[in-house]
Amino acid sequence: MYIKNKLRNYLGILSVGILMVSCNKLEDFGDLNVNPNGATTVNTGALLTNVLANLGGTTSSLVPGLYCQYYAESTYPGTSLYADPNFSSAALYSGILYDCQKIINYNSDPATAAIAAANGNNNNQIQIARILKVYLFSNLTDKYGDIPYSQALGGVTVLSPKYDDQESIYKSFLSELTDASTLLDLAGAPQKGDIAFSADIAKWKKLANSLRMLYSLRLSERYPGAAEYAAVEFNKAVTAAGGYISSNADNLQLTYPGGNLRNPYFALGQTLDNAVSSTLTNILTGLSDTRVNVFTTSSSGCPYGLASAANPNPSRIFVATLRAENAAFYFVTASQVLLALAEGMERGWVAGATTANAQIAYNAGITASFAQWGLAVPAGYLTSGTVDYSTGSGVASIGNAITVPGSSAATPTKLDRIALQQFIAYYPEGIQGWNNWRRTDMPKLKPTINATNSSKQIIRRYTYAPYEYNLNGAQLAIQIAKMGAAGNSQDTHVWWDKN
């Protein structure tokens, strides 16, 4: 998949293809505010291109990667010392999330559906936008917990959306993805603007089913049993028509053209302010894992939790070829999905599967991760004393002298071994690494001794940003009251993070 020409073509028309939002009061001015040279219709193919082109910048936040110790701040420590994470979510709501909603609205409205059909089958455009909406909303709720969801994206019709509880949000995700996977039409007219899968609807089906697997598994602390909600949804996704991502050929990924559209890690690679942490490099070297040779430029890593600049030669994020401006960026991959399958099987969530099946999926997931980065699995790695599915010990001690003693990646159980490999497979996506650490407690991370927050603990959620108090204060007050005595605290666990 290569998107250079498609990105330039579609983004070139995006500026004249988006219908601006208006309110009834503008009618009082007649045509005073009407641009006679402006477009009067939405180009939904251009909108889809814009959403996909900006996925990387939206989801590649360095911050959660600092919380799960993928990264370390080598020059200006602050985030890794657990300063208040009151980051704004406004740009995502008003940006590509709203673009997804416009694609849905324009293809659903009988007055505009025929025009939208010039960009592909109306139904398929709607289902693709639904899948992307879920993916983007998951990024938000995993950071904040309860968020505006069911009443969000209503434009001027809903100026004070309520905060939905995360349990209902996740159940809506699984319902939305199930519907989208079922309704996608393999015979529909090709989708324009699809720079991810080149209008291959079969791959969108696999993505929807894969997200169902990943999001069902996210609920394992709330619904651990083999007959409970998460297991039932997971098994449905595994057996759904269309299958799931099991090959790197079906990964959700983008290869950027460079120039104005660059791999998000290109910019990070130009500075020495952030580096790969010694926590991660300790894990990889302890496993004799050659992925360390591409994840960073130094296998020693940068000490995590520095109080001040003290590491003049930090390990850069990725080797140069993988952080080039035209390098591939991965979102949902075969390694992530196969390791999720292994966990589901080991938990007894997949009908008829055995622990032997789980081991096959575990080995396949690790192999796919190495292949994703252009590597072969080292000889003996899968049967080594540290990685072997049945007996692998993991790494007993990780971290450095400025973290609280006791950080470990020891893996006494099969679920621990899967979780550790998931942690590695999610790199460099800090939000997913942080999610998996919060859900599984693997690796067993300790905070820096230089923490500046009052609890001195690793952050569990983003706090609601100041703009929310100003623009949606009444609903936010209701939400914070629901959170109990702790209120809007960075130490409060999101709903699925039970332990």
Side-chain angles (χ1 to χ4, degrees), residues 256-281:
Y256 292 82
N260 292 329
L261 293 163
R262 299 169 173 170
N263 183 302
Y265 287 92
F266 173 76
L268 292 175
Q270 304 311 302
T271 174
L272 297 179
D273 294 345
N274 298 288
V276 172
S277 79
S278 58
T279 304
L280 181 60
T281 57

Side-chain angles (χ1 to χ4, degrees), residues 181-182 202 205-206 209 212 236-244:
S181 175
T182 301
K205 277 183 174 283
K206 289 182 179 181
N209 292 334
R212 291 166 64 189
K236 286 180 181 177
V238 170
T239 57
Y244 48 83

Side-chain angles (χ1 to χ4, degrees), residues 169-197:
I169 291 171
Y170 256 86
K171 289 182 176 179
S172 174
F173 286 170
L174 292 169
S175 176
E176 287 279 304
L177 291 168
T178 299
D179 286 350
S181 175
T182 301
L183 293 172
L184 281 167
D185 182 4
L186 297 176
Q191 173 66 55
K192 293 182 180 179
D194 181 3
I195 57 175
F197 291 138

Side-chain angles (χ1 to χ4, degrees), residues 283-302:
I283 292 171
L284 294 169
T285 56
L287 298 175
S288 298
D289 193 315
T290 55
R291 283 174 286 188
V292 73
N293 297 326
V294 296
F295 284 2
T296 179
T297 55
S298 172
S299 61
S300 61
C302 175

Side-chain angles (χ1 to χ4, degrees), residues 413-493:
T413 71
K414 292 173 181 175
L415 288 177
D416 288 333
R417 289 165 209 136
I418 295 169
L420 182 59
Q421 288 295 332
Q422 288 169 330
F423 183 77
I424 298 170
Y426 277 124
Y427 179 87
E429 283 302 272
I431 179 63
Q432 301 305 335
W434 186 42
N435 287 346
N436 220 57
W437 169 75
R438 287 183 290 170
R439 181 179 71 87
T440 67
D441 194 30
M442 178 56 61
K444 297 185 182 302
L445 302 176
K446 300 297 182 181
T448 171
I449 61 174
N450 296 314
T452 57
N453 58 334
S454 59
S455 70
K456 306 298 184 182
Q457 298 301 309
I458 299 172
I459 288 173
R460 307 299 293 210
R461 64 174 287 272
Y462 285 15
T463 56
Y464 298 122
Y467 87 95
E468 296 185 63
Y469 290 86
N470 297 328
L471 298 181
N472 198 17
Q475 291 294 338
L476 181 58
I478 295 170
Q479 166 58 24
I480 292 176
K482 286 165 45 182
M483 298 174 74
N488 184 26
S489 169
Q490 61 184 249
D491 296 321
T492 301
H493 292 214

Side-chain angles (χ1 to χ4, degrees), residues 23-284:
C23 60
N24 290 335
K25 291 182 179 180
L26 294 180
E27 294 174 0
D28 297 339
F29 295 88
D31 61 1
L32 181 63
N33 289 288
V34 176
N35 177 3
N37 298 314
T40 59
T41 60
V42 174
N43 186 311
T44 52
L47 286 177
L48 177 59
T49 299
N50 188 56
V51 172
L52 292 169
N54 285 283
L55 276 185
T58 299
T59 63
S60 64
S61 173
L62 188 74
V63 172
L66 289 163
Y67 299 155
C68 73
Q69 299 184 27
Y70 279 167
Y71 310 123
E73 292 174 303
S74 53
T75 307
Y76 303 107
T79 300
S80 56
L81 305 183
Y82 316 133
D84 186 18
N86 60 349
F87 304 106
S88 173
S89 59
L92 183 53
Y93 276 106
S94 63
I96 58 176
L97 257 176
Y98 193 56
D99 284 349
C100 289
Q101 189 61 51
K102 284 189 282 190
I103 293 171
I104 294 170
N105 294 346
Y106 212 65
N107 281 278
S108 301
D109 187 343
T112 54
I115 299 172
N119 291 290
N121 177 274
N122 292 128
N123 168 67
N124 285 347
Q125 290 189 68
I126 292 169
Q127 308 317 321
I128 289 171
R130 290 173 77 185
I131 294 168
L132 291 169
K133 264 184 65 179
V134 168
Y135 180 74
L136 291 167
F137 267 123
S138 73
N139 187 276
L140 286 176
T141 188
D142 289 342
K143 291 175 180 175
Y144 296 92
D146 297 355
I147 56 171
Y149 174 69
S150 62
Q151 294 181 348
L153 309 180
V156 296
T157 62
V158 185
L159 295 177
S160 298
K162 69 176 182 178
Y163 287 72
D164 293 277
D165 64 90
Q166 192 176 61
E167 179 178 13
S168 67
I169 291 171
Y170 256 86
K171 289 182 176 179
S172 174
F173 286 170
L174 292 169
S175 176
E176 287 279 304
L177 291 168
T178 299
D179 286 350
S181 175
T182 301
L183 293 172
L184 281 167
D185 182 4
L186 297 176
Q191 173 66 55
K192 293 182 180 179
D194 181 3
I195 57 175
F197 291 138
S198 299
D200 189 336
I201 297 302
K203 291 187 177 183
W204 283 104
K205 277 183 174 283
K206 289 182 179 181
L207 174 62
N209 292 334
S210 298
L211 291 175
R212 291 166 64 189
M213 293 168 63
L214 296 172
Y215 296 161
S216 296
L217 202 59
R218 188 73 45 80
L219 310 184
S220 62
E221 286 188 323
R222 287 291 178 180
Y223 302 106
E228 294 186 76
Y229 173 78
V232 171
E233 291 299 316
F234 187 90
N235 189 61
K236 286 180 181 177
V238 170
T239 57
Y244 48 83
I245 298 172
S246 59
S247 164
N248 284 327
D250 295 328
N251 289 346
L252 176 61
Q253 67 182 74
L254 293 176
T255 302
Y256 292 82
N260 292 329
L261 293 163
R262 299 169 173 170
N263 183 302
Y265 287 92
F266 173 76
L268 292 175
Q270 304 311 302
T271 174
L272 297 179
D273 294 345
N274 298 288
V276 172
S277 79
S278 58
T279 304
L280 181 60
T281 57
N282 286 171
I283 292 171
L284 294 169

